[in-house]
Structures are given as C-alpha cells and as structure tokens.
Amino acid sequence: MTPDHLVALLCPPLHNPRRRRGGNMAPEKSATVPQFLRGAELVKQGAEARVYRTQFLGRPTIVKERFSKRYRHVALDEKLTRRRTVQEVRSILRCRRAGIPAPAVYFVDYTSHCIFLEEILRSSTVRDHIASTQQSASCTVQELDRDQDRELVQEQELEQLAQQVGQILAKMHDEDVIHGDLTTSNMLLRRSPEDRGSDLVLIDFGLSYISALPEDKGVDLYVLEKAFLSTHPHTEALFQKLLKSYSASSKKSSAVLKKLDEVRLRGRKRSMVG
Ligand SMILES: Nc1ncnc2c1ncn2[C@@H]1O[C@H](COP(=O)(O)OP(=O)(O)OP(=O)(O)O)[C@@H](O)[C@H]1O
C-alpha cells in the first residue's frame, strides 16, 4: 500500500460514489473495489467478501472487503454489511482480549467495509493439514513397519490437534463468542519460525455473535461436527477427542453438550421427515 493509497483510505471523498443518485439498488461489484486495494493480491473471492493480501504500514496484511449485494435495497445492504463488519471486529477483539488466538485488527474502514488484519504467516488451514496427513497415512499403509510407526505418530499428532481445537473452542464459548461458521477451513495452523511446533488461530468471524445460551454454543459445535465429518471421512473418533477436550476445558460444557445432543436429534428427525 503506497502513501497515496493510505491518504485515499483515511480521507475518503465526502460524496460516497458507491451510492447511485436516485436508485436504490447497490452498484456492480466491480465498481466497489476501493482504490487502496488496487494492486493488492486477491486471495479469495467469496460470496460475501473478497480477501486480499497486501502491506499496511509495512506489515503483511490481509484485507477482508465485504462488498454490496446488488439484489438488496441500498439502505438495507449498507446496514447488513456494516453489521457483519462490526460483528467480525467485535468478536476478534473479544477473543484476543481473552487470549484466544485470532489475527490482530490493524484498521477498519467502515466506508468500504474493509477490515485490515494481521496476516498469519507460515500457516495453512486445519482442513489442508488433516487432509494431507490422512493422505500420507493411506499412501504408506502397504509399506513397511517403520511406516506403521509413522502412521501412529501422525495419528497422535492429529489427536493433539483435535485436543487443541477443543480447548480453544471451550475458551471461546466461555467468553460467550459464538463463531457461527466453524469449519476446519476457518482455523489456521501456524508453524513456529524454527518449525518446532504450531499453534492454532481462529479466523472468519463474519457470522459471529455474542450469546451466553448453551443452545447457541451447541449449534456452533453441531455446525463444526457436520463440516468436520463431511470434510474428513472416518474421523468420528477424532471428533470425539475434540469434544472430550472441549468438555474438560469449559466450565459450562455439560449444558452445551446436552444441547448438542438435542440439536443432533432434531437434525436426524428433520432428515428422516425429509
Ligand atoms: N489473517 C489471515 N492470515 C492469513 N490468511 C488468511 C487470514 N484471513 C484469511 N486468510 C486466508 O483467506 C481465506 C479466506 O478467508 P475468510 O475465511 O476469512 O474469508 P471468507 O470469504 O469469509 O471465506 P468463506 O467464504 O470460506 O467464509 C482463508 O481460508 C485463509 O486462507
């Protein structure tokens, strides 16, 4: 990001060019790309947001830009987009205050709905990590005894990871933060600089909110369970390890796990009825 980009960001024009005079539909997606993001590397184009990699005040930065939806009324769109941005920032800050690993928030621009986040370097998603571990384990299944040892080590590593996830989610729920979109893609595994270990960082709090209700926490875990088991086949035992660790780490786990059982039952009934 150049100084010109920073000026454009910090001193946006008084007239908001994103709003069409007289019209109430939001403008085209392409018209909304803020000037300061031109030249930034597009990491991901999602349905709700674009994620860019750039530099901000000399630091490696991820910018999450929530764009307008053309089909929504402009005022409603503005309100919803702003609310999601506020929620995401609020939950990240709440997590970080409680020592739950989430990227630092460097800057928020509510005009363009951009959140500037610390880029988690040397990281990969938990999804990719589990998938590659499972793949390498299955490749070696017909090989020698030493490969069986390796497989055991990999299994233990995955169990440790599941325990780590359980602990972090317990801590997050004890802070009454509901993530709203728990998947293994929304957890990053950051390797230490000397490659001596790794720690977990939670990302993508766009659907998060604050709630003390065991029901909301149970649903949060249910969303993760569904995503986990469908993304990573044959991991039922691993997911149980995650829940066990959640249960051991959270002060309020019994009510939450009871709700999780109820939500599962409701889910099963719904799929039986069709
Ligand atoms: N702080 C970060 N540091 C490093 N990479 C990040 C960071 N935030 C996001 N990413 C990368 O960008 C991808 C998309 O980010 P994120 O999940 O926040 O966006 P999204 O559009 O809301 O995604 P989804 O549509 O899956 O909900 C992540 O999977 C990750 O690879």
Side-chain angles (χ1 to χ4, degrees):
M1 181 176 286
T2 65
D4 281 353
H5 286 148
L6 198 58
V7 169
L9 173 70
L10 298 174
C11 315
L14 289 176
H15 161 68
N16 184 352
R18 305 175 69 228
R19 212 163 275 198
R20 261 192 264 153
R21 207 172 288 167
N24 33 358
M25 298 308 282
E28 297 282 337
K29 278 181 193 173
S30 58
T32 67
V33 176
Q35 192 200 334
F36 56 83
L37 282 177
R38 296 196 187 132
E41 180 194 344
L42 181 67
V43 176
K44 190 176 170 200
Q45 163 85 59
E48 301 270 327
R50 276 184 283 259
V51 176
Y52 297 88
R53 180 177 291 119
T54 186
Q55 290 276 320
F56 180 67
L57 304 179
R59 295 175 192 184
T61 300
I62 290 286
V63 179
K64 192 162 176 179
E65 182 211 9
R66 230 173 234 110
F67 46 75
S68 303
K69 296 290 187 99
R70 289 173 60 201
Y71 56 83
R72 285 200 297 232
H73 185 279
V74 168
L76 178 68
D77 181 73
E78 174 72 21
K79 206 172 160 181
L80 289 175
T81 312
R82 189 185 170 92
R83 188 190 296 161
R84 294 280 293 276
T85 306
V86 169
Q87 275 169 341
E88 180 149 19
V89 172
R90 187 179 289 157
S91 297
I92 292 176
L93 296 182
R94 197 165 169 136
C95 281
R96 284 181 59 86
R97 262 200 305 271
I100 299 157
V105 178
Y106 292 152
F107 188 78
V108 187
D109 178 29
Y110 287 107
T111 311
S112 58
H113 307 292
C114 283
I115 307 175
F116 290 63
L117 297 162
E118 165 196 8
E119 180 180 3
I120 307 299
L121 300 170
R122 297 178 308 278
S123 67
S124 57
T125 63
V126 168
R127 178 194 172 122
D128 289 347
H129 180 76
I130 296 179
S132 66
T133 308
Q134 281 187 323
Q135 208 172 18
S136 70
S138 64
C139 287
T140 59
V141 110
Q142 285 114 13
E143 294 175 19
L144 303 167
D145 282 355
R146 75 186 152 80
D147 291 320
Q148 282 177 347
D149 290 346
R150 183 146 44 109
E151 219 178 291
L152 202 71
V153 170
Q154 283 170 339
E155 205 177 295
Q156 282 168 352
E157 254 177 40
L158 284 187
E159 281 181 14
Q160 269 174 16
L161 177 62
Q163 278 166 6
Q164 217 180 332
V165 174
Q167 278 165 9
I168 286 181
L169 297 187
K171 210 166 167 186
M172 183 185 79
H173 281 175
D174 282 356
E175 288 298 316
D176 294 337
V177 175
I178 311 298
H179 185 282
D181 190 16
L182 283 177
T183 63
T184 48
S185 301
N186 287 336
M187 299 168 192
L188 298 181
L189 205 53
R190 169 172 50 193
R191 289 177 302 283
S192 68
E194 301 83 23
D195 226 352
R196 274 203 224 122
S198 47
D199 62 323
L200 263 183
V201 183
L202 298 180
I203 60 164
D204 196 3
F205 286 81
L207 293 175
S208 67
Y209 57 99
I210 308 298
S211 166
L213 294 177
E215 166 90 18
D216 291 335
K217 296 172 187 177
V219 171
D220 218 20
L221 291 180
Y222 182 67
V223 168
L224 176 64
E225 182 174 58
K226 283 277 186 197
F228 198 103
L229 299 182
S230 63
T231 314
H232 311 292
H234 319 298
T235 51
E236 287 76 7
L238 194 62
F239 194 77
Q240 283 312 310
K241 286 261 179 319
L242 188 159
L243 287 182
K244 211 170 151 194
S245 150
Y246 177 94
S247 169
S249 315
S250 166
K251 292 169 241 158
K252 309 160 191 168
S253 66
S254 58
V256 176
L257 294 178
K258 196 163 160 256
K259 284 291 172 192
L260 172 62
D261 278 338
E262 285 175 26
V263 178
R264 278 181 186 138
L265 211 66
R266 288 207 293 263
R268 247 175 259 141
K269 270 191 198 151
R270 242 200 322 271
S271 56
M272 271 160 65
V273 174

